[in-house]
Amino acid sequence: MWNGKSVSVVLMTYAERDSIRSVIEDFFDTGLVEEVLVVDNNAEPGTDEEVRRTRARLVHEPKQGYGHATRRGLIEASGDLVVLAEPDGTFLAKDISKLLVYSTECDVVFGTRTTRELIWAGANMAPFLRWGNWGVAKLIEALYNTSHLSDVGCTYKLLRSDAAKQIAETMTVGGSHAGVEIMLLTILSGGRFVEVPVNYLPRVGTSSVTGDPLKAIGVGLQMIGLVLQLRRTAPRRFQRPPAFMAPPAEEPRERLQL
């Protein structure tokens, strides 16, 4: 619970059998999370058994792909605030508080893994991955005239439930570049968002995408293609979040007559 709002964490799993149980328990141990929802996206054998040893809720998404699993998680999550994360040990559960802090002001809070001081030794953030994510983020910043962005591939993000449902209904990407679609749909909807740095740790096991440089480059090209495609089809001027308004000043009290 955060400021009276329930919190759901969604974990999309495919090849994280050896780490998912401890990740689930870490999120519950924060004391901030009411629900951990695991989306089994044709995961490796033994994953379901690990999940069932915890308090997490398990759903199955038969359509293969990160985007399909994410969409299912956004639809199924019951919390007022929905946090997406990875079950591979690359994120710290306690960093959820960084996202929650901004949930009062923002509809969506994006994490970023590109802050040098928070990249742990051994983390899979080689220069081409770090600068690649940063470069695509800056392309979005320039083409869509947004607030600061520095990482298009970070799964760790928070969405208010209404934003989560709206984005899930609009998503079309089923593959590994769905994260950038969520970012673009947030921008185009006029939602208020902010980006905050999170810790990035070594992964347990090998990623099916970033573990292969050629696949990672392919996903990066798909991201760039989607960024350009949506900018061409979007209105030249789209909705922006309104500025906060200062509360009206109190009426000056009359001076006491002595």
Side-chain angles (χ1 to χ4, degrees):
M1 189 73 69
W2 180 266
N3 287 342
K5 296 186 181 298
S6 58
V7 180
S8 291
V9 172
V10 178
L11 305 172
M12 296 73 67
T13 184
Y14 176 68
E16 295 84 17
R17 179 190 60 203
D18 297 333
S19 57
I20 192 166
R21 184 179 175 186
S22 63
V23 170
I24 292 169
E25 292 171 347
D26 285 348
F27 273 110
F28 278 128
D29 286 347
T30 64
L32 300 169
V33 176
E34 282 73 41
E35 174 186 57
V36 175
L37 174 68
V38 176
V39 182
D40 182 335
N41 194 213
N42 303 309
E44 60 186 329
T47 302
D48 284 9
E49 287 76 10
E50 290 296 306
V51 174
R52 290 194 177 98
R53 293 176 182 173
T54 71
R55 292 183 286 149
R57 181 160 66 95
L58 181 66
V59 297
H60 290 83
E61 174 49 58
K63 291 183 180 178
Q64 190 65 56
Y66 170 79
H68 293 305
T70 301
R71 182 177 184 274
R72 180 68 180 273
L74 293 176
I75 292 172
E76 292 275 354
S78 62
D80 300 313
L81 304 171
V82 181
V83 176
L84 301 178
E86 292 284 356
D88 59 7
T90 52
F91 296 125
L92 291 179
K94 68 178 183 179
D95 274 353
I96 193 173
S97 61
K98 297 179 182 180
L99 309 181
L100 291 168
V101 162
Y102 288 95
S103 65
T104 303
E105 291 88 5
C106 296
D107 303 296
V108 179
V109 184
F110 298 114
T112 174
R113 308 158 297 167
T114 59
T115 303
R116 188 190 307 274
E117 289 77 7
L118 298 183
I119 300 174
W120 290 38
N124 185 21
M125 190 53 70
F128 86 94
L129 281 175
R130 180 168 175 249
W131 291 110
N133 276 286
W134 182 89
V136 179
K138 293 307 172 186
L139 178 65
I140 294 173
E141 219 181 287
L143 293 181
Y144 294 78
N145 189 25
T146 72
S147 301
H148 173 81
L149 293 170
S150 63
D151 188 359
V152 292
C154 185
T155 300
Y156 215 175
K157 53 177 67 75
L158 176 148
L159 303 91
R160 291 183 184 173
S161 59
D162 53 347
K165 299 302 185 281
Q166 179 184 353
I167 287 174
E169 291 172 359
T170 314
M171 286 178 66
T172 60
V173 173
S176 298
H177 58 301
V180 76
E181 183 183 34
I182 293 174
M183 184 174 282
L184 294 172
L185 291 176
T186 299
I187 294 168
L188 293 173
S189 71
R192 192 183 302 277
F193 68 89
V194 70
E195 184 185 69
V196 297
V198 296
N199 287 277
Y200 193 55
L201 284 65
R203 188 190 199 281
V204 176
T206 303
S207 170
S208 59
V209 176
T210 56
D212 184 334
L214 291 179
K215 286 185 179 179
I217 291 171
V219 171
L221 293 175
Q222 287 179 307
M223 288 180 173
I224 293 171
L226 184 62
V227 170
L228 298 176
Q229 175 191 339
L230 288 185
R231 191 63 192 96
R232 283 196 302 268
T233 58
R236 184 174 180 181
R237 293 188 177 182
F238 44 87
Q239 186 177 354
R240 302 286 184 186
F244 288 127
M245 299 295 291
E250 294 184 3
E251 292 290 334
R253 296 179 180 179
E254 293 184 6
R255 292 186 179 182
L256 295 177
Q257 300 294 323
L258 299 179

